[in-house]
Amino acid sequence: MSPSSTQKPKSGLVAALEYTGIPPSLLKRPKLPGRNWLIFFGVTGSLIGAYVYDRRQCRVIKEDYIGRVKSLAEEYSWRDGVGPEALGKDDHLAWPRKLTVYATKWPGDEDYDIAMKYFRRYIKPIFVAAAIDYDMVPGKRHGDIALRIADEIKRKRAERESPSASSESFQPGMAMPPQYHAPTTAERDALELAGGTVIVGRATLKEYFSGLVRGWTEPPIINGRPNWGEDSREEKVRSMLDDSIFDEHEPYQTMSSSSFSSASLSPSSSSSPLPAILSVPPILLVPFVNHLGFAQIPYMLVDFFYRRKHVRDGGEAAWRAVCGATREWQGPSSNSNNPTFNAPPPPQGGDLDFALHTESFYKSSLRSPLSKFPSPITPSGLPPATLPVAQDEPDALNPKSPLGSIQKARKKYYNELPRRLWVAREFARRGGFDEIERPNTGADASEKESKIPEDFSKEWKKAKEAYDSDSSQFPPSEVQLRLERFEKEKRWMRDEEGWEIVRPERGVCWDERLRATGIRVFVEPISK
């Protein structure tokens, strides 16, 4: 029997459609895809469905919290729903409620704005819907927020201690619109206390309390000069630097690489009794985690498909701040009357352990044991000789940690500085690049020239080659080297101080005087 005789005859519809030009492959009965295609469509469809469902739930949750606070926003402009005619003539000039948002960089991440992006994405829309003003203060480097808060407190203390210092403050009728009531100092303090402070992440909490303690512990005025601002910090750096490294030395003589005096890096405090710390605005604690590294890719995937958790957490945090319900701050369990800038290791107890688990997501390379003898670090990488040093102290510092990287960079710089300094002075003496052998310089000239180390000669040839390739590339002068060294030390010292605040081996800086300020924390209201 031939195959053509066993073939099933085509229906009239199929035969008619074939003459219309439709490909025969489209007229065949559809079949189920193969196993590989089923796996592909199943996995792809599940991922797309999870993504679409999560983003839809994010919009639903966000709209839910916006709907909760929208009525509260209308109270700022409408009274009892009767319209604007019930408002006073000057109510449009009223000061709105304002919160200050602090967000520092996540340790180990070069993007300093990642914590502030979290606020703008999940908390800011609720504040905007509730007609709450806010001021965002990002920390681009570790320690920036602590310095900013400490400087503001010192400035306010100086204004209160000397009324003449606040002569530039707002005064009624000073360059203001008609009928505008400029708030007095007491009214501004009351407005600030009626607002609040938003702290995003545990690192920001450490910088916030470090700034509070430093601002109320360090004297605002030293020797008649303000103890805040960039000028004050530069003066402290100059007082700690030792310029003996720039003394005249022969290149074959041993030069000391010590750049710090034996004075401590900690700011000097006044011997007068410490002032009582004034009240601070309520605090909104917002947990924040930034996953970095190959080992945390699973957490990144979960966050990508479960972003509604962040929307819900951000909405709950914003809802607590909008409602204004607070509780007392729970301090550490142990009482200590001695304020210290270097916090003890965690856990400390109470609210000081806020988001303590988030530090477990830090890169392992950032961790380094605490020094047994806290002291300034010299460019050679060791504490001053006047202080005791544990034998295992040099090995205890992780070379990949921020402190280890600073120590390595500082040591490398001071190893190269004598050669660069010698080249700068030789270039200035000769008035240009000539041969190292100088004629008619004395009987012992050849002896001194022969004692020039090889690395000094290489540095001279390197600078000469750079000058020959580009005549505008002069070697840096001694003045430029002094300025370069000052800028590097200022940056290194500030980075060291900032990392000592946020490092995971330390807790939150605390002062027992803060208990009397009545610090409050925003909490969930009893009834929504």
PDB file of all heavy atoms in Angstrom, residues 141 144 147 151 155 225-238 486-487 490-491 494:
ATOM      1  N   ARG A 141      31.725  61.823  53.002  1.00  0.00           N
ATOM      2  CA  ARG A 141      32.836  61.068  53.565  1.00  0.00           C
ATOM      3  C   ARG A 141      32.499  60.755  55.010  1.00  0.00           C
ATOM      4  O   ARG A 141      31.695  61.447  55.643  1.00  0.00           O
ATOM      5  CB  ARG A 141      34.141  61.866  53.472  1.00  0.00           C
ATOM      6  CG  ARG A 141      34.587  62.136  52.047  1.00  0.00           C
ATOM      7  CD  ARG A 141      35.627  63.240  52.005  1.00  0.00           C
ATOM      8  NE  ARG A 141      36.831  62.918  52.745  1.00  0.00           N
ATOM      9  CZ  ARG A 141      37.836  63.771  52.932  1.00  0.00           C
ATOM     10  NH1 ARG A 141      37.763  64.994  52.432  1.00  0.00           N
ATOM     11  NH2 ARG A 141      38.906  63.414  53.588  1.00  0.00           N
ATOM     12  N   ASP A 144      31.686  63.465  58.029  1.00  0.00           N
ATOM     13  CA  ASP A 144      31.161  64.766  57.597  1.00  0.00           C
ATOM     14  C   ASP A 144      29.953  65.187  58.430  1.00  0.00           C
ATOM     15  O   ASP A 144      29.841  66.350  58.841  1.00  0.00           O
ATOM     16  CB  ASP A 144      30.776  64.718  56.117  1.00  0.00           C
ATOM     17  CG  ASP A 144      31.995  64.765  55.205  1.00  0.00           C
ATOM     18  OD1 ASP A 144      33.110  64.895  55.742  1.00  0.00           O
ATOM     19  OD2 ASP A 144      31.830  64.654  53.976  1.00  0.00           O
ATOM     20  N   LEU A 147      31.023  66.207  62.010  1.00  0.00           N
ATOM     21  CA  LEU A 147      31.622  67.539  62.041  1.00  0.00           C
ATOM     22  C   LEU A 147      30.573  68.623  61.846  1.00  0.00           C
ATOM     23  O   LEU A 147      30.626  69.667  62.507  1.00  0.00           O
ATOM     24  CB  LEU A 147      32.700  67.648  60.962  1.00  0.00           C
ATOM     25  CG  LEU A 147      33.962  66.803  61.166  1.00  0.00           C
ATOM     26  CD1 LEU A 147      34.883  66.938  59.971  1.00  0.00           C
ATOM     27  CD2 LEU A 147      34.689  67.209  62.444  1.00  0.00           C
ATOM     28  N   ASP A 151      29.826  71.400  64.684  1.00  0.00           N
ATOM     29  CA  ASP A 151      30.029  72.815  64.367  1.00  0.00           C
ATOM     30  C   ASP A 151      28.758  73.627  64.632  1.00  0.00           C
ATOM     31  O   ASP A 151      28.834  74.754  65.149  1.00  0.00           O
ATOM     32  CB  ASP A 151      30.454  72.973  62.911  1.00  0.00           C
ATOM     33  CG  ASP A 151      31.866  72.468  62.666  1.00  0.00           C
ATOM     34  OD1 ASP A 151      32.578  72.209  63.657  1.00  0.00           O
ATOM     35  OD2 ASP A 151      32.256  72.323  61.485  1.00  0.00           O
ATOM     36  N   ARG A 155      28.523  76.632  67.372  1.00  0.00           N
ATOM     37  CA  ARG A 155      28.116  77.977  66.943  1.00  0.00           C
ATOM     38  C   ARG A 155      26.944  78.486  67.788  1.00  0.00           C
ATOM     39  O   ARG A 155      26.924  79.659  68.187  1.00  0.00           O
ATOM     40  CB  ARG A 155      27.749  77.941  65.459  1.00  0.00           C
ATOM     41  CG  ARG A 155      27.514  79.326  64.863  1.00  0.00           C
ATOM     42  CD  ARG A 155      27.178  79.230  63.396  1.00  0.00           C
ATOM     43  NE  ARG A 155      28.287  78.700  62.614  1.00  0.00           N
ATOM     44  CZ  ARG A 155      28.319  77.480  62.095  1.00  0.00           C
ATOM     45  NH1 ARG A 155      27.296  76.656  62.264  1.00  0.00           N
ATOM     46  NH2 ARG A 155      29.364  77.085  61.396  1.00  0.00           N
ATOM     47  N   ARG A 225      39.218  82.467  69.552  1.00  0.00           N
ATOM     48  CA  ARG A 225      38.914  82.147  68.169  1.00  0.00           C
ATOM     49  C   ARG A 225      37.886  81.022  68.125  1.00  0.00           C
ATOM     50  O   ARG A 225      37.881  80.129  68.988  1.00  0.00           O
ATOM     51  CB  ARG A 225      40.191  81.727  67.415  1.00  0.00           C
ATOM     52  CG  ARG A 225      41.294  82.763  67.496  1.00  0.00           C
ATOM     53  CD  ARG A 225      42.523  82.330  66.722  1.00  0.00           C
ATOM     54  NE  ARG A 225      42.257  82.243  65.298  1.00  0.00           N
ATOM     55  CZ  ARG A 225      43.177  81.915  64.396  1.00  0.00           C
ATOM     56  NH1 ARG A 225      44.417  81.648  64.779  1.00  0.00           N
ATOM     57  NH2 ARG A 225      42.862  81.857  63.117  1.00  0.00           N
ATOM     58  N   PRO A 226      37.005  81.031  67.131  1.00  0.00           N
ATOM     59  CA  PRO A 226      35.977  79.975  67.039  1.00  0.00           C
ATOM     60  C   PRO A 226      36.611  78.604  66.872  1.00  0.00           C
ATOM     61  O   PRO A 226      37.567  78.423  66.105  1.00  0.00           O
ATOM     62  CB  PRO A 226      35.158  80.376  65.809  1.00  0.00           C
ATOM     63  CG  PRO A 226      35.438  81.831  65.606  1.00  0.00           C
ATOM     64  CD  PRO A 226      36.836  82.050  66.078  1.00  0.00           C
ATOM     65  N   ASN A 227      36.061  77.636  67.578  1.00  0.00           N
ATOM     66  CA  ASN A 227      36.545  76.264  67.517  1.00  0.00           C
ATOM     67  C   ASN A 227      35.643  75.431  66.602  1.00  0.00           C
ATOM     68  O   ASN A 227      35.242  74.324  66.942  1.00  0.00           O
ATOM     69  CB  ASN A 227      36.601  75.649  68.919  1.00  0.00           C
ATOM     70  CG  ASN A 227      37.273  74.287  68.914  1.00  0.00           C
ATOM     71  OD1 ASN A 227      38.082  73.980  68.041  1.00  0.00           O
ATOM     72  ND2 ASN A 227      36.912  73.450  69.876  1.00  0.00           N
ATOM     73  N   TRP A 228      35.287  75.991  65.460  1.00  0.00           N
ATOM     74  CA  TRP A 228      34.506  75.248  64.486  1.00  0.00           C
ATOM     75  C   TRP A 228      34.877  75.757  63.095  1.00  0.00           C
ATOM     76  O   TRP A 228      35.498  76.802  62.945  1.00  0.00           O
ATOM     77  CB  TRP A 228      33.008  75.408  64.751  1.00  0.00           C
ATOM     78  CG  TRP A 228      32.475  76.801  64.511  1.00  0.00           C
ATOM     79  CD1 TRP A 228      32.127  77.370  63.323  1.00  0.00           C
ATOM     80  CD2 TRP A 228      32.255  77.810  65.501  1.00  0.00           C
ATOM     81  NE1 TRP A 228      31.686  78.656  63.497  1.00  0.00           N
ATOM     82  CE2 TRP A 228      31.744  78.955  64.822  1.00  0.00           C
ATOM     83  CE3 TRP A 228      32.411  77.864  66.883  1.00  0.00           C
ATOM     84  CZ2 TRP A 228      31.412  80.129  65.493  1.00  0.00           C
ATOM     85  CZ3 TRP A 228      32.072  79.034  67.546  1.00  0.00           C
ATOM     86  CH2 TRP A 228      31.580  80.148  66.842  1.00  0.00           C
ATOM     87  N   GLY A 229      34.480  75.018  62.103  1.00  0.00           N
ATOM     88  CA  GLY A 229      34.757  75.410  60.732  1.00  0.00           C
ATOM     89  C   GLY A 229      36.074  74.865  60.215  1.00  0.00           C
ATOM     90  O   GLY A 229      36.891  74.277  60.946  1.00  0.00           O
ATOM     91  N   GLU A 230      36.302  75.057  58.937  1.00  0.00           N
ATOM     92  CA  GLU A 230      37.484  74.523  58.280  1.00  0.00           C
ATOM     93  C   GLU A 230      38.763  75.199  58.754  1.00  0.00           C
ATOM     94  O   GLU A 230      39.810  74.552  58.872  1.00  0.00           O
ATOM     95  CB  GLU A 230      37.342  74.693  56.757  1.00  0.00           C
ATOM     96  CG  GLU A 230      38.337  73.905  55.936  1.00  0.00           C
ATOM     97  CD  GLU A 230      38.134  72.410  56.058  1.00  0.00           C
ATOM     98  OE1 GLU A 230      36.994  71.985  56.384  1.00  0.00           O
ATOM     99  OE2 GLU A 230      39.112  71.680  55.840  1.00  0.00           O
ATOM    100  N   ASP A 231      38.697  76.493  59.064  1.00  0.00           N
ATOM    101  CA  ASP A 231      39.903  77.192  59.533  1.00  0.00           C
ATOM    102  C   ASP A 231      40.384  76.627  60.855  1.00  0.00           C
ATOM    103  O   ASP A 231      41.598  76.453  61.058  1.00  0.00           O
ATOM    104  CB  ASP A 231      39.613  78.686  59.674  1.00  0.00           C
ATOM    105  CG  ASP A 231      39.324  79.342  58.334  1.00  0.00           C
ATOM    106  OD1 ASP A 231      39.709  78.767  57.299  1.00  0.00           O
ATOM    107  OD2 ASP A 231      38.700  80.431  58.325  1.00  0.00           O
ATOM    108  N   SER A 232      39.464  76.316  61.750  1.00  0.00           N
ATOM    109  CA  SER A 232      39.856  75.746  63.033  1.00  0.00           C
ATOM    110  C   SER A 232      40.484  74.374  62.866  1.00  0.00           C
ATOM    111  O   SER A 232      41.490  74.054  63.524  1.00  0.00           O
ATOM    112  CB  SER A 232      38.633  75.665  63.954  1.00  0.00           C
ATOM    113  OG  SER A 232      38.941  75.019  65.170  1.00  0.00           O
ATOM    114  N   ARG A 233      39.934  73.551  61.980  1.00  0.00           N
ATOM    115  CA  ARG A 233      40.500  72.223  61.776  1.00  0.00           C
ATOM    116  C   ARG A 233      41.881  72.294  61.125  1.00  0.00           C
ATOM    117  O   ARG A 233      42.770  71.502  61.452  1.00  0.00           O
ATOM    118  CB  ARG A 233      39.540  71.379  60.932  1.00  0.00           C
ATOM    119  CG  ARG A 233      38.322  70.898  61.709  1.00  0.00           C
ATOM    120  CD  ARG A 233      37.507  69.924  60.899  1.00  0.00           C
ATOM    121  NE  ARG A 233      36.719  70.594  59.879  1.00  0.00           N
ATOM    122  CZ  ARG A 233      35.496  71.075  60.070  1.00  0.00           C
ATOM    123  NH1 ARG A 233      34.934  70.967  61.262  1.00  0.00           N
ATOM    124  NH2 ARG A 233      34.827  71.663  59.103  1.00  0.00           N
ATOM    125  N   GLU A 234      42.071  73.223  60.195  1.00  0.00           N
ATOM    126  CA  GLU A 234      43.393  73.359  59.581  1.00  0.00           C
ATOM    127  C   GLU A 234      44.426  73.815  60.604  1.00  0.00           C
ATOM    128  O   GLU A 234      45.585  73.392  60.562  1.00  0.00           O
ATOM    129  CB  GLU A 234      43.310  74.346  58.419  1.00  0.00           C
ATOM    130  CG  GLU A 234      42.533  73.821  57.217  1.00  0.00           C
ATOM    131  CD  GLU A 234      42.523  74.806  56.069  1.00  0.00           C
ATOM    132  OE1 GLU A 234      43.053  75.931  56.266  1.00  0.00           O
ATOM    133  OE2 GLU A 234      42.003  74.470  54.990  1.00  0.00           O
ATOM    134  N   GLU A 235      44.018  74.667  61.513  1.00  0.00           N
ATOM    135  CA  GLU A 235      44.953  75.109  62.553  1.00  0.00           C
ATOM    136  C   GLU A 235      45.360  73.952  63.460  1.00  0.00           C
ATOM    137  O   GLU A 235      46.517  73.846  63.884  1.00  0.00           O
ATOM    138  CB  GLU A 235      44.306  76.228  63.371  1.00  0.00           C
ATOM    139  CG  GLU A 235      45.225  76.849  64.402  1.00  0.00           C
ATOM    140  CD  GLU A 235      44.581  77.996  65.146  1.00  0.00           C
ATOM    141  OE1 GLU A 235      43.447  78.379  64.781  1.00  0.00           O
ATOM    142  OE2 GLU A 235      45.211  78.514  66.091  1.00  0.00           O
ATOM    143  N   LYS A 236      44.412  73.058  63.759  1.00  0.00           N
ATOM    144  CA  LYS A 236      44.742  71.894  64.580  1.00  0.00           C
ATOM    145  C   LYS A 236      45.718  70.984  63.846  1.00  0.00           C
ATOM    146  O   LYS A 236      46.648  70.440  64.454  1.00  0.00           O
ATOM    147  CB  LYS A 236      43.466  71.132  64.929  1.00  0.00           C
ATOM    148  CG  LYS A 236      42.536  71.879  65.875  1.00  0.00           C
ATOM    149  CD  LYS A 236      41.288  71.063  66.145  1.00  0.00           C
ATOM    150  CE  LYS A 236      40.335  71.821  67.054  1.00  0.00           C
ATOM    151  NZ  LYS A 236      39.071  71.061  67.297  1.00  0.00           N
ATOM    152  N   VAL A 237      45.523  70.815  62.547  1.00  0.00           N
ATOM    153  CA  VAL A 237      46.429  69.966  61.778  1.00  0.00           C
ATOM    154  C   VAL A 237      47.832  70.556  61.777  1.00  0.00           C
ATOM    155  O   VAL A 237      48.828  69.840  61.954  1.00  0.00           O
ATOM    156  CB  VAL A 237      45.895  69.787  60.344  1.00  0.00           C
ATOM    157  CG1 VAL A 237      46.907  69.027  59.485  1.00  0.00           C
ATOM    158  CG2 VAL A 237      44.569  69.052  60.348  1.00  0.00           C
ATOM    159  N   ARG A 238      47.937  71.871  61.599  1.00  0.00           N
ATOM    160  CA  ARG A 238      49.263  72.507  61.594  1.00  0.00           C
ATOM    161  C   ARG A 238      49.961  72.353  62.940  1.00  0.00           C
ATOM    162  O   ARG A 238      51.179  72.184  62.996  1.00  0.00           O
ATOM    163  CB  ARG A 238      49.125  73.987  61.245  1.00  0.00           C
ATOM    164  CG  ARG A 238      48.738  74.253  59.791  1.00  0.00           C
ATOM    165  CD  ARG A 238      48.886  75.720  59.448  1.00  0.00           C
ATOM    166  NE  ARG A 238      48.543  75.995  58.065  1.00  0.00           N
ATOM    167  CZ  ARG A 238      47.342  76.353  57.655  1.00  0.00           C
ATOM    168  NH1 ARG A 238      46.349  76.501  58.545  1.00  0.00           N
ATOM    169  NH2 ARG A 238      47.087  76.578  56.375  1.00  0.00           N
ATOM    170  N   PHE A 486      50.680  69.015  53.702  1.00  0.00           N
ATOM    171  CA  PHE A 486      49.642  69.479  54.612  1.00  0.00           C
ATOM    172  C   PHE A 486      48.264  69.003  54.161  1.00  0.00           C
ATOM    173  O   PHE A 486      47.454  68.536  54.976  1.00  0.00           O
ATOM    174  CB  PHE A 486      49.676  71.011  54.694  1.00  0.00           C
ATOM    175  CG  PHE A 486      48.511  71.605  55.420  1.00  0.00           C
ATOM    176  CD1 PHE A 486      48.438  71.575  56.806  1.00  0.00           C
ATOM    177  CD2 PHE A 486      47.469  72.196  54.722  1.00  0.00           C
ATOM    178  CE1 PHE A 486      47.343  72.109  57.473  1.00  0.00           C
ATOM    179  CE2 PHE A 486      46.393  72.741  55.378  1.00  0.00           C
ATOM    180  CZ  PHE A 486      46.325  72.694  56.757  1.00  0.00           C
ATOM    181  N   GLU A 487      47.959  69.091  52.863  1.00  0.00           N
ATOM    182  CA  GLU A 487      46.660  68.652  52.355  1.00  0.00           C
ATOM    183  C   GLU A 487      46.482  67.150  52.528  1.00  0.00           C
ATOM    184  O   GLU A 487      45.384  66.685  52.866  1.00  0.00           O
ATOM    185  CB  GLU A 487      46.522  69.041  50.880  1.00  0.00           C
ATOM    186  CG  GLU A 487      46.466  70.543  50.637  1.00  0.00           C
ATOM    187  CD  GLU A 487      45.223  71.186  51.232  1.00  0.00           C
ATOM    188  OE1 GLU A 487      44.205  70.471  51.398  1.00  0.00           O
ATOM    189  OE2 GLU A 487      45.257  72.390  51.534  1.00  0.00           O
ATOM    190  N   LYS A 490      45.906  66.440  56.221  1.00  0.00           N
ATOM    191  CA  LYS A 490      44.565  66.876  56.619  1.00  0.00           C
ATOM    192  C   LYS A 490      43.515  65.869  56.176  1.00  0.00           C
ATOM    193  O   LYS A 490      42.593  65.544  56.943  1.00  0.00           O
ATOM    194  CB  LYS A 490      44.268  68.255  56.027  1.00  0.00           C
ATOM    195  CG  LYS A 490      42.911  68.816  56.453  1.00  0.00           C
ATOM    196  CD  LYS A 490      42.713  70.217  55.915  1.00  0.00           C
ATOM    197  CE  LYS A 490      42.569  70.225  54.415  1.00  0.00           C
ATOM    198  NZ  LYS A 490      42.180  71.563  53.891  1.00  0.00           N
ATOM    199  N   ARG A 491      43.639  65.350  54.956  1.00  0.00           N
ATOM    200  CA  ARG A 491      42.680  64.363  54.468  1.00  0.00           C
ATOM    201  C   ARG A 491      42.830  63.037  55.217  1.00  0.00           C
ATOM    202  O   ARG A 491      41.842  62.403  55.582  1.00  0.00           O
ATOM    203  CB  ARG A 491      42.875  64.156  52.974  1.00  0.00           C
ATOM    204  CG  ARG A 491      41.843  63.225  52.359  1.00  0.00           C
ATOM    205  CD  ARG A 491      42.010  63.068  50.869  1.00  0.00           C
ATOM    206  NE  ARG A 491      43.228  62.350  50.527  1.00  0.00           N
ATOM    207  CZ  ARG A 491      44.312  62.883  50.009  1.00  0.00           C
ATOM    208  NH1 ARG A 491      44.345  64.185  49.761  1.00  0.00           N
ATOM    209  NH2 ARG A 491      45.382  62.159  49.727  1.00  0.00           N
ATOM    210  N   ARG A 494      41.445  63.346  58.765  1.00  0.00           N
ATOM    211  CA  ARG A 494      39.985  63.413  58.768  1.00  0.00           C
ATOM    212  C   ARG A 494      39.372  62.049  58.442  1.00  0.00           C
ATOM    213  O   ARG A 494      38.360  61.661  59.039  1.00  0.00           O
ATOM    214  CB  ARG A 494      39.524  64.454  57.753  1.00  0.00           C
ATOM    215  CG  ARG A 494      38.031  64.697  57.756  1.00  0.00           C
ATOM    216  CD  ARG A 494      37.691  65.941  56.974  1.00  0.00           C
ATOM    217  NE  ARG A 494      36.245  66.170  56.939  1.00  0.00           N
ATOM    218  CZ  ARG A 494      35.686  67.243  56.412  1.00  0.00           C
ATOM    219  NH1 ARG A 494      36.435  68.193  55.894  1.00  0.00           N
ATOM    220  NH2 ARG A 494      34.371  67.371  56.411  1.00  0.00           N
TER     221      ARG A 494
END
